[in-house]
Amino acid sequence: MVNTLKKLGVVAALSMAFATSAFANSYVIGTNFDEDVYVAPTTGFFEKSYTIDLSQAGTVSYSLTEIESAFLNINFLNAGLFNSSANPVSGVLSSGIYTLLVTGKTVGLAGGSYNLNFTVAAAPVPEAQTNAMMMLGLAAIGFVAYRRKNMA
């Protein structure tokens, strides 16, 4: 029995280690990503994706800036945030897997370069006092409606 539990513990530890390494390029709540990205010269359009794994409701804000020089240039630089069904999304997002997709076309002799900055944050949670005030307001409106009904 003890040997079986030890074996199960080792298997669980190994599977957790492999699971975390499989999501090495996945970004979670609390991530603040700021990186200059080099794109090799291509004959057409390129795309680079960043996987964002939200374990709870959250927001993703991002900015994209081209870095130009004499030999680095990108045309049609664009970014979008998509859900797992490839539909564009914005605002407060529910938990799930999202993809930040950067696309463009390198036209520089040495390719192109851009700066991507994105932040993944948890959605704001209303304070208990806010909910209590809302309930008190609804109770007051209900009381006024009840009094009007009885007076008529």
Side-chain angles (χ1 to χ4, degrees):
M1 175 84 174
V2 173
N3 286 337
T4 304
L5 289 175
K6 286 181 183 178
K7 289 177 184 177
L8 284 174
V10 169
V11 169
L14 286 174
S15 41
M16 285 178 65
F18 287 122
T20 54
S21 65
F23 291 105
N25 293 329
S26 183
Y27 303 96
V28 295
I29 288 179
T31 299
N32 188 8
F33 180 89
D34 187 7
E35 184 175 301
D36 292 341
V37 180
Y38 169 73
V39 180
T42 61
T43 57
F45 288 89
F46 70 89
E47 68 177 39
K48 181 159 175 62
S49 64
Y50 301 85
T51 302
I52 299 168
D53 185 2
L54 293 179
S55 59
Q56 66 187 51
T59 59
V60 177
S61 57
Y62 60 91
S63 66
L64 183 65
T65 310
E66 180 183 357
I67 302 172
E68 285 191 51
S69 71
F71 300 104
L72 298 174
N73 194 6
I74 297 177
N75 283 348
F76 311 113
L77 186 61
N78 193 15
L81 186 62
F82 300 91
N83 62 13
S84 57
S85 301
N87 296 322
V89 294
S90 63
V92 177
L93 308 172
S94 60
S95 62
I97 305 292
Y98 296 89
T99 302
L100 180 61
L101 185 63
V102 177
T103 60
K105 181 178 181 182
T106 56
V107 292
L109 293 175
S113 188
Y114 62 89
N115 176 271
L116 176 63
N117 182 331
F118 68 84
T119 303
V120 182
V125 177
E127 297 289 331
Q129 294 88 352
T130 304
N131 290 334
M133 289 295 288
M134 183 179 69
M135 296 297 257
L136 187 61
L138 288 173
I141 290 171
F143 179 73
V144 169
Y146 172 77
R147 292 279 310 235
R148 283 188 181 171
K149 181 180 175 185
N150 285 342
M151 293 182 93

